[in-house]
Amino acid sequence: MKNPIEKSKFTIGLILLIQSLSFLVVSIAQFKKRKSLAGAFLALSAIEGILGTILVVKSASVENDRLTVLDSLCDDYMEFEGLDKEFDVPVTEEVDEEEFPF
């Protein structure tokens, strides 16, 4: 069982990327007024952007690995031979064969 941090890496990364964009906008807005705050916001934007990208890429690679394993299992264990053959419909007094339009 995965711990809660492993499950939420993608969400945390996405939140950090969105917050990074908002700090970038604040940094641009504050650039003419107070240069010291603009630099701090720009630094926070860069750090959060890098961390958010790392988390999103890591979670995407884990999900890709999981899907690759599932695809290989589906190829190995799910044989679709014989699905095109006709089969008999069980018929009773209440159920008629005409109810099943194949």
Side-chain angles (χ1 to χ4, degrees):
M1 185 172 160
K2 291 184 178 181
N3 61 10
I5 298 296
E6 288 290 323
K7 289 181 183 178
S8 59
K9 271 187 182 179
F10 182 78
T11 307
I12 292 171
L14 201 59
I15 290 170
L16 283 174
L17 286 173
I18 292 169
Q19 190 171 353
S20 169
L21 289 175
S22 66
F23 273 131
L24 182 65
V25 169
V26 170
S27 171
I28 292 171
Q30 292 289 324
F31 187 70
K32 291 183 181 178
K33 296 179 182 177
R34 299 179 188 162
K35 292 185 180 180
S36 62
L37 284 179
F41 286 135
L42 189 61
L44 283 174
S45 173
I47 291 170
E48 287 181 354
I50 291 169
L51 289 176
T53 303
I54 289 171
L55 286 175
V56 168
V57 167
K58 279 188 178 182
S59 67
S61 67
V62 167
E63 184 69 16
N64 190 21
D65 291 342
R66 187 184 72 82
L67 290 176
T68 304
V69 169
L70 286 176
D71 286 343
S72 66
L73 286 175
C74 285
D75 289 341
D76 291 342
Y77 295 109
M78 296 191 139
E79 299 292 331
F80 294 110
E81 296 174 4
L83 289 180
D84 56 348
K85 297 178 184 176
E86 292 186 19
F87 57 92
D88 295 330
V89 177
V91 179
T92 64
E93 292 177 4
E94 294 94 24
V95 179
D96 192 13
E97 192 172 331
E98 294 174 1
E99 292 181 17
F100 298 97
F102 310 145

